[in-house]
Amino acid sequence: MKLKKIISILLTAVLISASSVSSTPAKVSKSVENNTALCGLSRNKRIPVEAPPRLEAGLSGYQYKSLSKAAEDIRKAMLNHEAHISTYIRTKNKDPLKLFEQLENKVFKITNEPDEGDYMRWDIDREFPRYSRQSVKEGKTTYYYYKYELEVWYLTTLEQKQQVDDKVDELIQSFHFTETTTDYEKVKAVYDYVCKNVTYSENIKDDQIYTSWAALFQGKAVCQGYAQLIYRMLKELGISVRLIPGFGDYTTQMHGWNIVQLGDYYYNIDATWDSALLKENGTYSYFLKGDNFIDHLRMEEYRTAQFYFQYPMAAEDYDSKTLQRRSANSEKAIFMLIKPEFKKVLSRKIKIKKISGAKGYQIAYSDDKRVKKNVTFKKTKKSTYKFSQLKKKKKYYVRFRAYRTINGEKIYTEWSKIRKMRAR
């Protein structure tokens, strides 16, 4: 199943890099992998250029903005399918790659707008950025003034985007939903429409097959087109949905599908595979499935604790008559992101605010302020711990984290803040 990617960005002082994931996963840097969408086409370009010039007119004459404001401007420009986009940012961040990653994350953040977020991200074929930068000392602080320039290629035209908007409105009207229509009924209606009316396309030379436009107006698409259309229609109906890139059949074959929220949890849906099954034998096998989604493996970015915390998955397949529960991955995520707190720190004793579900606590202390060197670790199952081997009148620094076991795996929370104590 084919997916096309937004060209991921690797900026350095002397090159612009555009990378993609080919049909065989290659080792890529963490920064690239985390900003990568997927590509069914092998595309890996590195274009060396001269070192970025200093801003041509100094700092005057430009409107430098915050990161968030710059991202809003770029988002508006991309919604209008502008091919050349420039923005100016004033920041304390001296790393152009990290700053650009933060900028892109804000540009493609999930909003309530159906044509933003994942929909817009997956409508971009590729982009080439370049930057220039100046640093200025302002009092005791150094600020960096960036100019980012982007060349952007889109998979659809602005006219085709408007055609999709109009067609989606028309389809939703045809469903005749009322105030009593449940979210399940809405999801099922959209899913049925896509599975019945879209056929998988093998013409990988046609870029249109990666789009919701092709799914709607040509009746053919690859998984990216299926999933993008599902996203667009469900967002229009006010239902929380994401487009998940990953691998099908647990192989190197790139694939994409959706997760959708019903009640408190999210469920997997794969219209691409179910479309084929529906046409063959009139059944679904990949509709509203729990977190154990057979033959599907998410990209790493979509299986982090942060992602599972934000989008908690159901443990079992959807059943309106059965009380649902969180999946093990979601349970882990919730526990892992807990920030523990001290109740009290005395000269030789600490008191911990109890954490629900914790089986015990790991304590780390040292004479190093960052608790990185000469660290001693202790464990306790109680919320109070007394230190017995501290040297008198010496400063120590202590922190702790909680732990528990989920599905046979030992899981830790984040570390608490470091507190100072002096042994008397």
Side-chain angles (χ1 to χ4, degrees):
M1 304 304 171
K2 300 294 188 295
L3 285 169
K4 199 173 184 69
K5 76 177 287 293
I6 306 164
I7 295 299
S8 58
I9 309 307
L10 178 59
L11 292 173
T12 69
V14 295
L15 62 82
I16 297 172
S17 169
S19 301
S20 69
V21 181
S22 65
S23 58
T24 301
K27 291 184 177 179
V28 293
S29 69
K30 183 178 180 182
S31 60
V32 173
E33 184 179 15
N34 285 348
N35 270 300
T36 271
L38 294 177
C39 184
L41 304 179
S42 177
R43 183 174 292 175
N44 194 337
K45 299 179 181 177
R46 291 185 180 274
I47 305 174
V49 296
E50 294 181 0
R54 296 176 69 83
L55 295 178
E56 57 269 23
L59 302 179
S60 61
Y62 299 104
Q63 184 178 356
Y64 289 90
K65 305 172 181 178
S66 67
L67 190 66
S68 294
K69 180 59 179 174
E72 287 178 15
D73 291 346
I74 293 175
R75 189 183 309 118
K76 290 177 182 177
M78 286 183 171
L79 287 171
N80 289 323
H81 283 210
E82 294 181 21
H84 301 279
I85 306 171
S86 297
T87 192
Y88 297 85
I89 301 173
R90 178 179 181 267
T91 177
K92 296 179 183 178
N93 191 335
K94 65 180 181 180
D95 187 328
L97 173 57
K98 289 183 178 179
L99 182 63
F100 192 81
E101 289 176 341
Q102 294 170 5
L103 180 64
E104 286 245 293
N105 287 337
K106 287 183 177 292
V107 169
F108 296 114
K109 72 176 183 180
I110 302 302
T111 70
N112 291 328
E113 299 301 321
D115 59 351
E116 295 180 358
D118 287 345
Y119 184 84
M120 185 173 71
R121 177 188 288 271
W122 289 81
D123 193 42
I124 293 177
D125 182 3
R126 60 194 186 277
E127 56 182 331
F128 292 108
R130 64 177 68 229
Y131 76 95
S132 50
R133 178 185 66 186
Q134 281 186 201
S135 61
V136 177
K137 192 83 171 180
E138 300 179 19
K140 295 182 179 180
T141 305
T142 299
Y143 286 92
Y144 297 88
Y145 290 78
Y146 287 89
K147 177 184 179 182
Y148 282 104
E149 297 176 282
L150 284 78
E151 290 183 71
V152 188
W153 287 259
Y154 302 88
L155 290 170
T156 58
T157 66
L158 191 57
E159 180 183 4
Q160 287 172 331
K161 178 179 180 294
Q162 185 59 55
Q163 288 173 351
V164 170
D165 292 344
D166 294 341
K167 183 64 174 178
V168 167
D169 288 342
E170 177 189 324
L171 286 172
I172 288 177
Q173 290 295 323
S174 72
F175 293 145
H176 301 295
F177 295 142
T178 68
E179 292 182 358
T180 61
T181 304
T182 65
D183 283 350
Y184 169 82
E185 290 169 332
K186 293 175 183 177
V187 171
K188 182 66 162 52
V190 168
Y191 197 74
D192 285 344
Y193 174 83
V194 173
C195 289
K196 290 175 182 177
N197 292 279
V198 185
T199 302
Y200 188 78
S201 175
E202 298 289 351
N203 184 13
I204 63 173
K205 294 182 179 180
D206 179 10
D207 283 353
Q208 293 295 334
I209 64 172
Y210 294 93
T211 67
S212 58
W213 182 88
L216 282 173
F217 292 98
Q218 295 180 340
K220 290 186 177 182
V222 292
C223 56
Q224 181 170 324
Y226 281 86
Q228 190 193 39
L229 179 56
I230 291 280
Y231 181 92
R232 178 68 178 77
M233 295 180 72
L234 291 183
K235 286 291 283 189
E236 188 72 39
L237 291 167
I239 294 172
S240 182
V241 57
R242 290 299 308 267
L243 195 159
I244 305 295
F247 303 92
D249 294 323
Y250 291 109
T251 67
T252 59
Q253 178 64 61
M254 294 298 183
H255 189 47
W257 61 97
N258 301 95
I259 57 171
V260 60
Q261 185 178 23
L262 287 178
D264 294 330
Y265 306 119
Y266 286 78
Y267 298 84
N268 291 287
I269 56 175
D270 187 342
T272 309
W273 287 6
D274 266 344
S275 175
L277 287 176
L278 183 67
K279 294 173 177 66
E280 288 176 7
N281 53 36
T283 62
Y284 290 153
S285 293
Y286 302 98
F287 180 60
L288 295 179
K289 296 297 181 179
D291 197 21
N292 184 23
F293 199 26
I294 189 169
D295 295 336
H296 292 73
L297 177 64
R298 301 181 183 189
M299 290 293 287
E300 183 179 356
E301 177 184 354
Y302 296 84
R303 45 190 167 95
T304 63
Q306 289 79 6
F307 194 88
Y308 266 102
F309 181 82
Q310 189 172 0
Y311 301 97
M313 297 295 300
E316 293 91 13
D317 300 345
Y318 180 77
D319 183 348
S320 61
K321 298 179 181 179
T322 304
L323 182 64
Q324 302 293 290
R325 60 188 180 92
R326 281 190 296 267
S327 71
N329 286 322
S330 296
E331 287 285 356
K332 291 175 186 177
I334 291 171
F335 191 76
M336 289 170 68
L337 295 178
I338 291 174
K339 190 72 174 179
E341 296 180 13
F342 286 100
K343 195 172 184 179
K344 189 176 290 187
V345 177
L346 305 172
S347 63
R348 291 178 178 271
K349 185 168 66 174
I350 59 171
K351 293 185 177 181
I352 292 168
K353 288 186 178 180
K354 291 184 178 181
I355 294 175
S356 177
K359 297 302 180 183
Y361 304 92
Q362 183 186 48
I363 300 164
Y365 67 95
S366 171
D367 55 6
D368 173 46
K369 289 184 178 181
R370 297 186 300 169
V371 195
K372 297 290 185 181
K373 303 175 183 177
N374 306 319
V375 182
T376 300
F377 293 95
K378 299 290 184 180
K379 284 188 177 181
T380 179
K381 292 188 176 183
K382 298 180 179 180
S383 58
T384 298
Y385 183 82
K386 186 173 183 180
F387 298 89
S388 59
Q389 296 179 332
L390 304 184
K391 294 181 180 180
K392 286 185 178 181
K393 298 183 179 180
K394 185 174 180 178
K395 290 181 182 178
Y396 290 92
Y397 300 87
V398 61
R399 64 180 182 173
F400 78 96
R401 60 182 179 175
Y403 62 86
R404 64 176 293 192
T405 299
I406 300 177
N407 275 12
E409 182 181 356
K410 198 170 192 178
I411 305 298
Y412 290 91
T413 66
E414 295 184 1
W415 286 102
S416 69
K417 291 182 178 179
I418 296 173
R419 294 285 298 273
K420 179 175 71 175
M421 62 182 182
R422 184 189 292 272
R424 293 177 183 175

